[in-house]
C-alpha cells in the first residue's frame, strides 16, 4: 500500500512506486494534512530552488530557537547549508576549491573499532564512519577522529525542536569544541597546502577565519546522517546480494552507486518562502513551506543523483560521500560482517528526511 503522505514515504519499505506516481500526477500541490506545499517533479523542484524568494531557512527562524542563544546556534548560523546571505556563494566557492585541492592528498580513515558486528555496533558504525572518513580527509590527527564523531552526534542530537535542556547543553559544548578544533586546524603552521590556500583566499575576501572554520566543521556535520543512510542502505543491499569478505572495491562501489540511484539516503529537503511567488500557475504565499521530494524527482530523472540536491545549494560532497561509503562498506565486509543477517532484521529510523536503517531497536538507542 502507498504511504499516506510524502513524510511517511521516507520510512516505507518500498516508497518508489508512490514517488513515481506523485511526480507524474501531483508535481506541485498543497498538502492539507501536512500544511505545506509538496514539489516532487524535477521541473517544479528546480523552479522552487532557483527562485530568490525560496530560502533554506524560515525568515522568522534563521536558527532553531532551542539553540539560541549560545555556541550551537552560532555555529548553525555560519553553515553555508543554512543561509542564503551574500557570503554564501563566496564561501561555497572557496569550500569547493578546498575540497578539490585537498582530494589530491592521500588519506586513510581510521575506521571506528568493531569486533564482530552486532546490531548495536552496526548502528553506531553507520553514524560514526562518515565522520571518521571526513575527519581523515580534512587531515585532522587520527586520535581526534572518534571524538569528532562523538561531538557531531551530540550536535545532531541537540537540533530537534523537542530536544531537552541536557541535550541542548551538550550540543553547545560540542559546538564550542568543533569550532575551536577546526579553527586551530585551519590556522596551524603545519596546515596542508589546500588549507593554507583556503585561509589565504578567505583573508583576501575578508572572510573571518572563524567563519571558514565553522564551515569545515560543517563538512563533518553534513557528512554524518546522510552518510549513515548511504552506508546503511548499501549494507542492506550487500546483504540481499549475499556479499561477503571476498567483495572487491569495484563491487562495493557498484553497490553504492546502485543505492544512490535506487534507494537513496536523503529523500526530502525544504524551502521557506520569503515573499509570495507563483510557480507553475500556483501561488505560494510568503511564510509557507515547500517540501522538495528529491526521491520523487529521481524517479523521473534517475541519472541526476537528486539525493545530493541541485542548483545553488547542491551538495559539494557527492564524490567524497560515494567513495567514503564504498570504503566503509568494504571495511565492514572484510571484517566479516554478516550483512545478510543484518538485512533480514531492521527498520528505518523515524526521521523526516533521511532514510537510515536501524538494526537494534530493542530500546531506542541513539547511535
Ligand atoms: C550520502 C551523503 C550525502 C548526501 C545524500 C548529501 C546531500 C545533500 C543535499 C541534498 C544537500 C542540499 C540541501 C538543500 O539544497 O536543501 C547538501 C548540501 C551540502 N552538503 Fe551534502 N550530502 C552528503 C554528504 C556530504 C558530505 C560527505 C559533505 C562534505 C564533504 C557534504 C557537504 C555538504 C555541504 C557543505 C552542503 C551545503 C551546500 C550549500 O548549501 O550550498 N555532504 N547535501
Amino acid at each position: 500500500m502507498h504511504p499516506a503522505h510524502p513524510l511517511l514515504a521516507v520510512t516505507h519499505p518500498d516508497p518508489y512506486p508512490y514517488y513515481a506516481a506523485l511526480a507524474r500526477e501531483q508535481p506541485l500541490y498543497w498538502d492539507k494534512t501536512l500544511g505545506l506545499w509538496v514539489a516532487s517533479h524535477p521541473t517544479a523542484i528546480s523552479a522552487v530552488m532557483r527562485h530568490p524568494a525560496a530560502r533554506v531557512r524560515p525568515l522568522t527562524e534563521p536558527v532553531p530557537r532551542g539553540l539560541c542563544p549560545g555556541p550551537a546556534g552560532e555555529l548553525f548560523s555560519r553553515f553555508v547549508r543554512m543561509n542564503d546571505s551574500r557570503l554564501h556563494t563566496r564561501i561555497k566557492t572557496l569550500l569547493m576549491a578546498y575540497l578539490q585541492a585537498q582530494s589530491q592528498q592521500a588519506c586513510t580513515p581510521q575506521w571506528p573499532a568493531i569486533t564482530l558486528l552486532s546490531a548495536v555496533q552496526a548502528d553506531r558504525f553507520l553514524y560514526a564512519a562518515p565522520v571518521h572518513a571526513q575527519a581523515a580527509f580534512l587531515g585532522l590527527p587520527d586520535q581526534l577522529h572518534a571524538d569528532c564523531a562523538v561531538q557531531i552526534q551530540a550536535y545532531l542530537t541537540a537540533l530537534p525542536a523537542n530536544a531537552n535542556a541536557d541535550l541542548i547543553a551538550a550540543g553547545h559544548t560540542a559546538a564550542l569544541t568543533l569550532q575551536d578544533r577546526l579553527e586551530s586546524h585551519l590556522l596551524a603552521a603545519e596546515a596542508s597546502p589546500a588549507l593554507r590556500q583556503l585561509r589565504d583566499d578567505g583573508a583576501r575576501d575578508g572572510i573571518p577565519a572563524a567563519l571558514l572554520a565553522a564551515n569545515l566543521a560543517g563538512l563533518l556535520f553534513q557528512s554524518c546522517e546522510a552518510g549513515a543512510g548511504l552506508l546503511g542502505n548499501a549494507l542492506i543491499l550487500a546483504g540481499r546480494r549475499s556479499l561477503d569478505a571476498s567483495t572487491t572495491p569495484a563491487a562495493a562501489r557498484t553497490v553504492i552507486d546502485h543505492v544512490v540511484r535506487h534507494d537513496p539516503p536523503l529523500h526530502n529537503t525544504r524551502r521557506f518562502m520569503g515573499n509570495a511567488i507563483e510557480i507553475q500557475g500556483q501561488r505560494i504565499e510568503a511564510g509557507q513551506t515547500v517540501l522538495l521530494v528529491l526521491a520523487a524527482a529521481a524517479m523521473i530523472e534517475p541519472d541526476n543523483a537528486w539525493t545530493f540536491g541541485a542548483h545553488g545549494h547542491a551538495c559539494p560532497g557527492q564524490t567524497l560521500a560515494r567513495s567514503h561509503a564504498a570504503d566503509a562498506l568494504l571495511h565492514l565486509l572484510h571484517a566479516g560482517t554478516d550483512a545478510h543477517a543484518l538485512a533480514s532484521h531492521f527498520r528505518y529510523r523515524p526521521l523526516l528526511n533521511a532514510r537510515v536503517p536501524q538494526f537494534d531497536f530493542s530500546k531506542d538507542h541513539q547511535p
Side-chain angles (χ1 to χ4, degrees):
M1 214 173 68
H2 278 345
H5 60 67
L7 293 181
L8 291 175
V10 179
T11 52
H12 189 277
D14 180 17
Y16 302 107
Y18 164 77
Y19 281 142
L22 189 69
R24 267 196 322 268
E25 293 158 22
Q26 291 182 284
L28 176 66
Y29 76 100
W30 170 253
D31 191 303
K32 271 197 288 235
T33 318
L34 298 175
L36 41 72
W37 288 88
V38 176
S40 56
H41 191 280
T43 312
I45 293 180
S46 290
V48 174
M49 280 181 162
R50 285 196 169 121
H51 203 292
R55 310 289 171 78
V56 288
R57 290 289 307 165
L59 280 187
T60 51
E61 197 180 347
V63 175
R65 262 186 264 287
L67 302 185
C68 302
E74 195 171 355
L75 182 62
F76 189 97
S77 72
R78 289 171 162 165
F79 290 157
V80 287
R81 164 70 184 83
M82 304 303 174
N83 76 74
D84 298 291
S85 72
R86 271 191 303 118
L87 271 179
H88 164 267
T89 317
R90 191 60 204 137
I91 297 177
K92 174 104 181 254
T93 308
L94 296 189
L95 276 180
M96 286 170 68
Y98 163 69
L99 289 172
Q100 176 61 34
Q102 186 70 32
S103 65
Q104 308 306 317
Q105 195 138 333
C107 83
T108 314
Q110 305 297 309
W111 297 113
I114 42 172
T115 47
L116 258 195
L117 204 73
S118 64
V120 179
Q121 284 195 24
D123 287 334
R124 291 211 184 103
F125 190 92
L126 293 189
Y127 274 79
V131 183
H132 276 240
Q134 193 58 38
F137 176 86
L138 295 176
L140 285 160
D142 291 358
Q143 66 275 16
L144 292 181
H145 298 181
D147 190 64
C148 284
V150 169
Q151 302 300 337
I152 291 292
Q153 189 57 48
Y155 189 68
L156 258 183
T157 312
L159 296 183
N162 61 358
N164 66 29
D166 288 348
L167 296 178
I168 290 177
H172 285 309
T173 309
L176 270 183
T177 305
L178 289 163
Q179 177 72 45
D180 287 354
R181 182 171 294 168
L182 274 303
E183 212 164 312
S184 311
H185 187 56
L186 176 67
L187 299 177
E190 68 281 10
S192 71
L195 266 184
R196 275 185 271 135
Q197 188 68 49
L198 176 66
R199 200 158 81 187
D200 295 348
D201 289 346
R204 198 195 51 229
D205 288 2
I207 300 172
L211 196 50
L212 293 177
N215 277 289
L216 293 176
L219 298 179
L220 297 175
F221 168 68
Q222 290 293 137
S223 70
C224 183
E225 195 146 70
L230 180 53
L231 179 56
N233 296 338
L235 195 54
I236 287 167
L237 183 62
R240 289 179 177 155
R241 292 185 171 175
S242 303
L243 297 190
D244 58 17
S246 66
T247 303
T248 62
R253 183 54 197 242
T254 303
V255 169
I256 297 302
D257 291 343
H258 188 279
V259 165
V260 165
R261 207 180 159 97
H262 298 291
D263 194 18
L266 208 82
H267 286 201
N268 302 311
T269 189
R270 282 173 180 68
R271 290 295 184 268
F272 306 89
M273 285 310 135
N275 315 106
I277 65 170
E278 207 168 291
I279 293 214
Q280 300 187 335
Q282 311 217 59
R283 186 179 160 88
I284 305 178
E285 299 295 343
Q288 289 185 326
T289 301
V290 189
L291 182 75
L292 306 177
V293 189
L294 304 172
M299 301 306 294
I300 307 290
E301 293 180 348
D303 292 335
N304 278 3
W306 274 97
T307 195
F308 291 103
H311 308 294
H313 282 275
C315 181
Q318 174 172 177
T319 308
L320 278 180
R322 288 183 195 248
S323 75
H324 290 164
D327 290 348
L329 177 64
L330 205 60
H331 177 76
L332 286 178
L333 294 172
H334 286 181
T337 299
D338 186 347
H340 186 72
L342 289 172
S344 63
H345 183 72
F346 72 93
R347 69 172 189 187
Y348 292 102
R349 285 188 185 277
L351 300 170
L352 296 179
N353 303 320
R355 183 168 175 86
V356 185
Q358 181 176 18
F359 299 105
D360 179 74
F361 38 97
S362 45
K363 287 183 259 108
D364 234 343
H365 277 291
Q366 289 297 333

